[in-house]
Amino acid sequence: MRSEAAWQLDLRPADDPETLIIALARRWRIDQDLPAADTLNDRLDVPVRHVRFDASALTDWDSGLLTFVSGISKRCADRGIAVDSSGLPPGAQRLLAMAAAVPEQKLAGRDKGPQGPFAQVGTATLEFFRGAPQMLGFLGEVTLSLLRLVSGRARFRARDLWLEIEEVGPRALPIVSVISFLVGLILAYLGADQLRLVGAQIFIADLVAIGMVREIAALMTGVIIAGRTGAAFAAQLGTMQVNEEIDAYQTLGISAIDFLVLPRMLALMLMVPLLTLYSAFIGMLAGLLVSLTIFDTGVFEYYTETLRALTFQQFGVGLSKGMVYGAIIAFAGCLRGMQCGRSAEAVGHAATSAVVTAMLLITIAASIMTIVYYQLGI
Amino acid sequence: MNGTPHIEVRDLTMAYGDFVVQRGLDFVVNKGDIFVVMGGNGCGKTTLMRALVGLQRPAAGSVLYSGKDFWNAAAETQRQLKRRLGILFQGGALWSSLTLAENVALPIAEYTGLPPARVNEIVDFKLALVGLAGFEDFYPSELSGGMKKRAGLARAMALDPDILVIDEPSSGLDPLTARRLDELIMELRDSLGTTIVVVTHELASILSIGNNSIYLDSESHTMIATGHPQDALKNGPPEVRRFLSRGATT
Ligand SMILES: Nc1ncnc2c1ncn2[C@@H]1O[C@H](COP(=O)(O)OP(=O)(O)O)[C@@H](O)[C@H]1O
Ligand SMILES: [Mg+2]
């Protein structure tokens, strides 16, 4: 154990039994396998009242020595033993004195350490219920901001709106295309199996058109944009929170909601419905493809059947859902971003939580709207 | 001990794309120097620091540690050289998901196989040296800017590096704490023989602790003075004398 390490530690009793001399010799450097101060615990006890160091044979040292000595000094202080460090090299004495200088006042009212499992469940529950009013508060602020926009008093930079529109719209097209196509395909196959039983293959067109336009296009687009853009919103605003950028807006009397949340909200409320339309179109294309290849339906037949099935109302249902989902995604993303803590970890947490919140709210909204539209007979 | 070249910088040019920050830097830092890097805002001090410590490849020229060319060395050699460096970043760069104690302990655990009890002793001592005893369990977000700076210094000193590179240590510190930090830096040099490269604007620090320096000029994009700061104050080019006397000289 002490082969490469040439440190040497000897404990010598002095002439009077109350004094212990700790002799440190040869090399004491941090990269060595030095002893921990704990090894001397049982020697620093009655009858010892004084500890002295002897470093006359010390050849080489760094904070390896210092940490050892400071550990000993701390233990001595706890036990009321006086320490005389005059036997140490002068530089070591000065550094030890610096380390022993009075530390500053601790912050008051700091969080306690880790909690037990029950306390954690309790805290999580409380936080959940505390979260609801916060969410409502944010909803209120956003609504006020939208009202300011309508009355022309909200301020944000048009460039931000355009940037977001570009980010949400054109850049999302590839992923929306792929997913809508595949979902359209799945829907058509699913229907094909059932409709073949009753010889009503042509109604695949109705199924795909109505399914995509009314429900699925908006839902799929919502899910994609929540993962893609909702998370990005939370990360952007969260990072701004970490850099105190949001505080800086506030001190200037600029509403961070108007300036940051509003453009994102508008961009999504505009672009998600448009993407929904696009997604429905791609889905119907996939349906056509399935119908052509497995049932030999004519393109024209499929086209007229689709037109017959679709009404403006259907589009209205789909578009309104797209707009609501867009608003939800922007809301959840910005809410989590604004609530973000001041660390890198908190930003990651905000992004995750934005997606989860958006998904949850989208599902709830989808159910409510489906039921309401059904009751209204739309 | 003093007087052996420790870091040699040869004809160093640093650039971001086409934008040359500084060119033709030539200087030597000797063992045991407190080497001050001076210059106005945005002249390239941080960029120079990044080139020295292996974070940003210079556009041209070389950085030699004890004669070894850092940027042309094998990865393993680079790692060994980095082990000898301690770095304090301008913003502290503490890891926000770790407590102060964990921040200081990480480099020790990464480079040595010391048992936890000793790692803790080292951590406690280093935090005490920078005046942060008792803050071991705090997260960086719970500290003031100046405290983060000092915790960053404790982390940089964790392994008793041969060379300590410090970017603006005293910005954000009150005068008394800044002075204590200067004393600590001098003590590290005197007692442990640490070589210190420090970027600073603090005139009191520059003139009291520095024994060698360079001045980077942002107009000509190169160094226009080198040597002992006191000499630069007396005999340097007019810009440098103005800088070192807060514009008081003509
Ligand atoms: N990542 C970067 N990309 C492009 N230019 C940069 C980057 N970082 C710094 N610069 C430019 O390089 C110059 C020097 O910057 P820096 O080294 O940070 O200056 P300082 O001397 O204040 O530390 C400045 O003009 C800055 O604008
Ligand atoms: Mg800088």
Side-chain angles (χ1 to χ4, degrees), chain A residues 238-322:
Chain A
T239 310
M240 291 185 188
Q241 194 69 266
V242 173
N243 290 339
E244 298 175 317
E245 292 173 45
I246 293 184
D247 298 345
Y249 281 124
Q250 234 111 50
T251 53
L252 282 176
I254 297 173
S255 158
I257 307 270
D258 286 8
F259 219 72
L260 300 171
V261 179
L262 209 50
R264 291 177 167 77
M265 193 76 147
L266 292 178
L268 285 198
M269 286 173 70
L270 186 68
M271 292 317 285
V272 176
L274 292 183
L275 281 175
T276 300
L277 268 188
Y278 172 77
S279 159
F281 175 73
I282 297 285
M284 289 187 270
L285 222 58
L288 171 65
L289 207 72
V290 171
S291 186
L292 285 185
T293 47
I294 65 175
F295 296 129
D296 287 333
T297 331
V299 175
F300 184 70
E301 243 179 299
Y302 191 93
Y303 174 72
T304 42
E305 188 59 32
T306 301
L307 277 194
R308 213 180 54 74
L310 288 178
T311 60
F312 275 110
Q313 257 182 12
Q314 316 275 22
F315 279 107
V317 170
L319 287 178
S320 65
K321 284 184 176 168

Side-chain angles (χ1 to χ4, degrees), chain B residues 41-47 90 167-168 199 201:
Chain B
N41 290 129
C43 68
K45 302 179 296 296
T46 298
T47 312
Q90 195 164 358
D167 199 354
E168 301 201 15
V199 171
H201 295 296

Side-chain angles (χ1 to χ4, degrees), chain B residues 40-235:
Chain B
N41 290 129
C43 68
K45 302 179 296 296
T46 298
T47 312
L48 171 61
M49 184 197 101
R50 292 173 61 85
L52 287 183
V53 303
L55 283 171
Q56 194 172 329
R57 182 176 281 278
S62 46
V63 177
L64 290 83
Y65 284 97
S66 318
K68 274 195 213 112
D69 184 347
F70 181 90
W71 287 104
N72 289 319
E76 184 47 36
T77 317
Q78 287 192 347
R79 190 178 139 86
Q80 277 162 12
L81 289 174
K82 280 183 192 166
R83 155 80 169 80
R84 297 171 47 203
L85 295 173
I87 300 145
L88 170 59
F89 291 89
Q90 195 164 358
L94 294 172
W95 295 303
S96 57
S97 58
L98 304 183
T99 64
L100 288 200
E102 289 166 340
N103 263 283
V104 181
L106 189 69
I108 308 177
E110 180 65 21
Y111 278 108
T112 69
L114 295 178
R118 275 208 56 218
V119 173
N120 287 341
E121 274 177 9
I122 298 175
V123 168
D124 288 352
F125 180 73
K126 301 283 159 152
L127 284 173
L129 258 188
V130 296
L132 288 175
F135 286 87
E136 287 82 5
D137 296 330
F138 280 63
Y139 284 93
S141 55
E142 299 171 311
L143 300 182
S144 75
M147 289 160 82
K148 281 185 213 171
K149 260 291 160 53
R150 282 182 286 149
L153 183 63
R155 185 179 70 185
M157 304 188 310
L159 289 160
D160 278 358
D162 291 349
I163 302 165
L164 202 50
V165 183
I166 312 179
D167 199 354
E168 301 201 15
S170 34
S171 59
L173 299 188
D174 65 72
L176 294 181
T177 316
R179 163 119 187 257
R180 231 176 73 98
L181 203 68
D182 282 352
E183 283 166 6
L184 176 60
I185 289 173
M186 295 229 274
E187 198 55 61
L188 290 176
R189 191 265 309 264
D190 294 343
S191 300
L192 302 179
T194 314
T195 304
I196 289 153
V197 177
V198 53
V199 171
T200 181
H201 295 296
E202 206 62 38
L203 288 183
S205 302
I206 295 175
L207 295 170
S208 63
I209 67 173
N211 71 329
N212 200 352
S213 68
I214 50 169
Y215 184 94
L216 305 180
D217 184 40
S218 48
E219 295 287 315
S220 58
H221 296 282
T222 187
M223 55 194 265
I224 57 171
T226 178
H228 199 291
Q230 298 282 6
D231 286 347
L233 173 61
K234 284 188 210 98
N235 314 318

Side-chain angles (χ1 to χ4, degrees), chain A residues 321 361-375:
Chain A
K321 284 184 176 168
L361 292 180
I362 284 179
T363 319
I364 294 175
S367 321
I368 294 176
M369 287 164 82
T370 303
I371 295 171
V372 167
Y373 285 144
Y374 177 83
Q375 296 295 344

